[in-house]
Amino acid sequence: SQELEQSPQSLIVQEGKNLTINCTSSKTLYGLYWYKQKYGEGLIFLMMLQKGGEEKSHEKITAKLDEKKQQSSLHITASQPSHAGIYLCGAVSNFGNEKLTFGTGTRLTIIP
Amino acid sequence: GAVVSQHPSWVICKSGTSVKIECRSLDFQATTMFWYRQFPKQSLMLMATSNEGSKATYEQGVEKDKFLINHASLTLSTLTVTSAHPEDSSFYICSATLAGGPSDTQYFGPGTRLTVL
């Protein structure tokens, strides 16, 4: 079965600083998703990456998928308190397989 | 668009009782709905996949007789935790994929926190 490892597990960053969260898969990814979760709430879809080398940005968040499609990074520029939460990567391993396997999660805290 | 709701948002019940959780896609028809559970400080674990009008597919280790899933329409799926016990206490989250949209993108509900006393 596919396993996703996220690093770091937790991150405390001063407001305004940049940060990066990584997601590494044990297998080649068909699709890689990034979600954000506030404690005790549902998941908010951020971005989906599918092609090797693909990069997408939304506001101050940029996600990349490496050429081998086994590692993704999520980069936040000039972090704000609103960025605080748990970031989860999720992956679909096969074409036509909708089942998502989630990473271990990264808890991000932004300090003023 | 692509909003998924869950009801109730939280529930407390006595051990041995059954609890039903609803998952609705509010502004779209969902081809498939998924049920996850999440323990504190842990990631989401897929419990089952349900398609409208057919039996749910359960993940290994998930008791289908304990976690009954009914997918009555393209906008509603229900999860019933039967004879609940304290170890069933968890955060249950559903998600839905958009019919006609990118089949892999799941939209998540806000979750239901179940506490079994």
Side-chain angles (χ1 to χ4, degrees):
Chain A
S1 61
Q2 183 161 53
E3 292 183 0
L4 293 175
E5 192 73 30
Q6 280 184 241
S7 63
Q9 288 188 344
S10 65
L11 194 54
I12 301 174
V13 173
Q14 194 168 21
E15 182 177 354
K17 298 294 185 182
N18 303 336
L19 63 105
T20 300
I21 298 168
N22 294 301
C23 175
T24 302
S25 171
S26 57
K27 296 182 180 180
T28 300
L29 300 164
Y30 169 68
L32 189 285
Y33 297 77
W34 282 102
Y35 289 90
K36 178 186 172 185
Q37 183 183 29
K38 295 252 181 198
Y39 179 72
E41 299 181 14
L43 278 66
I44 300 169
F45 171 73
L46 297 176
M47 273 171 277
M48 181 245 194
L49 304 166
Q50 209 165 9
K51 299 177 184 176
E54 187 175 8
E55 179 176 321
K56 288 186 178 179
S57 293
H58 177 67
E59 296 180 345
K60 294 185 178 180
I61 301 176
T62 300
K64 300 178 185 179
L65 182 62
D66 73 338
E67 290 288 344
K68 292 184 178 179
K69 296 173 65 175
Q70 283 191 271
Q71 188 166 24
S72 178
S73 61
L74 185 82
H75 185 77
I76 298 177
T77 305
S79 58
Q80 299 171 351
S82 59
H83 289 129
I86 301 167
Y87 288 82
L88 291 159
C89 63
V92 176
S93 58
N94 297 308
F95 175 78
N97 182 354
E98 296 175 310
K99 293 200 296 185
L100 270 175
T101 300
F102 282 93
T104 46
T106 297
R107 184 178 296 272
L108 174 63
T109 303
I110 307 293
I111 53 175
Chain B
V3 177
V4 176
S5 71
Q6 279 184 242
H7 178 79
S9 55
W10 59 270
V11 57
I12 301 173
C13 69
K14 290 183 179 179
S15 186
T17 60
S18 295
V19 174
K20 181 186 283 188
I21 302 170
E22 292 185 349
C23 177
R24 292 182 186 271
S25 55
L26 297 184
D27 51 358
F28 67 100
Q29 291 187 327
T31 50
T32 305
M33 287 185 170
F34 301 85
W35 286 96
Y36 297 84
R37 64 187 301 181
Q38 185 180 32
F39 291 105
K41 297 187 179 180
Q42 293 187 24
S43 192
L44 278 72
M45 296 298 294
L46 179 64
M47 297 175 67
T49 303
S50 75
N51 292 288
E52 184 263 341
S54 61
K55 289 184 179 179
T57 303
Y58 291 81
E59 294 300 299
Q60 193 172 10
V62 178
E63 299 175 59
K64 62 180 181 180
D65 294 330
K66 181 166 185 62
F67 299 100
L68 300 177
I69 292 173
N70 183 282
H71 198 145
S73 72
L74 283 171
T75 60
L76 173 65
S77 176
T78 60
L79 169 69
T80 301
V81 183
T82 62
S83 186
H85 288 99
E87 57 266 30
D88 298 324
S89 298
S90 188
F91 192 56
Y92 292 87
I93 306 178
C94 71
S95 71
T97 53
L98 176 64
S103 61
D104 300 332
T105 302
Q106 295 183 27
Y107 299 93
F108 286 80
T112 296
R113 184 163 302 283
L114 169 63
T115 301
V116 185
L117 302 176

